[in-house]
Amino acid sequence: MGDVTVTGNASLTNNCRIDGTLWVGGTVKADSSPHIGGNLQSGGQVTIQSTVRISGYLATAAGLTVLDGKSVANLKTIGTVHGEIYTAASTLPLPAVAAPAVPTPETTGAETSWGAWLKSIAVGAGAPSWSAALQTKPGCVLSTSTVGTAKLTVTGNTVVDATGAACPTVTLQGLAIDLKADLTLKVNALGSTNGLKVTASDGRPHKLTIVAGSGSGSLIRLVGPTSIDPQVTANLTSSGTVQIDGSTDLTGTIRASRLVTSGAVTVHATGGA
């Protein structure tokens, strides 16, 4: 795992690192110093800076441009691409261009609504009666002020469905989540602000699955610092965009129609360093 599948376009910059293979149906633009630990395969134009590092091969069906004037022939010599370079790939298995299907979460466990989940957190935290999570309409923000705690502990496999909660976007604000079981969030769109820290204090492997919507406007956006315990496999799927900004470290997979990264973003393969 650690692979990233993008059916539209991908933009990588700064110190983004993907341990696995990056599959892109559309165009790829990579500048500064991203590192792809596997292969880069694209059905569209690939535009890169020579400071990018690709440990596998590079294959594009629509041509390759080097931003800083290095020749394509020199990319292997200077270490930009360690494998072969295919600039008119037709026989390699390039990615499909259909929007990624929104999967049925693999997690087994109790399914609950967004409102009921927020209320259970607030009750467990002893939140004051005026807290938003204890109201009939709890809103779309999960934060200390809404549920009475900045640290959530998940003790049983839980699937939270926020798609019918009148929430165009669910916002996680400055949270720490301790997983002692699997957690799945089904949303129309999700934004994490002011940092997100996910731990597995029991030392056992768990899953954090975020599935966003069924339209091109669906979005998963993580604004760092985002830190996810290596014991937690993070699976992010959006029929629209996955955007990761700022310092981020996660282990798992990403599937989206469009991928945008900036900052020190690392996607580790499961079991990788």
Side-chain angles (χ1 to χ4, degrees), residues 61-82:
L64 172 63
T65 299
V66 185
L67 288 168
D68 49 358
K70 302 291 194 236
S71 71
V72 172
N74 285 339
L75 293 184
K76 289 183 64 177
T77 303
I78 62 179
T80 302
V81 182
H82 288 254

Side-chain angles (χ1 to χ4, degrees), residues 4 7 16-17 29 51 68 74 77 103-104 137 148 158 174 176 187 205 226-227 232 241 261:
V4 175
T7 57
C16 175
R17 173 182 165 188
K29 182 176 180 181
T51 49
D68 49 358
N74 285 339
T77 303
T104 301
K137 295 182 179 180
T158 303
V187 299
T226 301
S227 174
V232 176
T241 299
T261 72

Side-chain angles (χ1 to χ4, degrees), residues 23-224:
W23 296 72
V24 181
T27 63
V28 177
K29 182 176 180 181
D31 56 29
S32 192
S33 53
H35 180 195
I36 298 170
N39 306 316
L40 169 60
Q41 294 194 200
S42 173
Q45 175 76 22
V46 173
T47 303
I48 64 173
Q49 197 167 341
S50 65
T51 49
V52 171
R53 293 293 177 263
I54 301 169
S55 297
Y57 62 75
L58 185 157
T60 169
L64 172 63
T65 299
V66 185
L67 288 168
D68 49 358
K70 302 291 194 236
S71 71
V72 172
N74 285 339
L75 293 184
K76 289 183 64 177
T77 303
I78 62 179
T80 302
V81 182
H82 288 254
E84 297 300 319
I85 298 173
Y86 306 93
T87 57
S90 59
T91 58
L92 292 172
L94 291 170
V97 296
V102 177
T104 301
E106 296 179 359
T107 303
T108 57
E111 180 160 329
T112 185
S113 68
W114 172 254
W117 189 52
L118 261 60
K119 183 175 181 179
S120 68
I121 296 169
V123 170
S129 59
W130 46 260
S131 298
L134 298 175
Q135 310 308 310
T136 304
K137 295 182 179 180
C140 306
V141 178
L142 202 170
S143 67
T144 301
S145 62
T146 58
V147 297
T149 181
K151 183 175 182 179
L152 316 181
T153 301
V154 178
T155 57
N157 290 350
T158 303
V159 180
V160 180
D161 188 352
T163 59
C167 289
T169 300
V170 163
T171 300
L172 309 181
Q173 195 171 82
L175 287 182
I177 301 175
D178 185 25
L179 293 184
K180 297 182 179 180
D182 296 346
L183 175 63
T184 298
L185 301 176
K186 297 193 293 185
V187 299
N188 296 308
L190 178 140
S192 171
T193 63
N194 299 335
L196 173 65
K197 183 176 182 179
V198 182
T199 57
S201 66
D202 61 2
R204 297 181 178 182
H206 301 296
K207 294 179 182 178
L208 172 64
T209 301
I210 302 175
V211 181
S214 58
S216 60
S218 299
L219 170 68
I220 298 174
R221 184 177 186 189
L222 306 180
V223 178

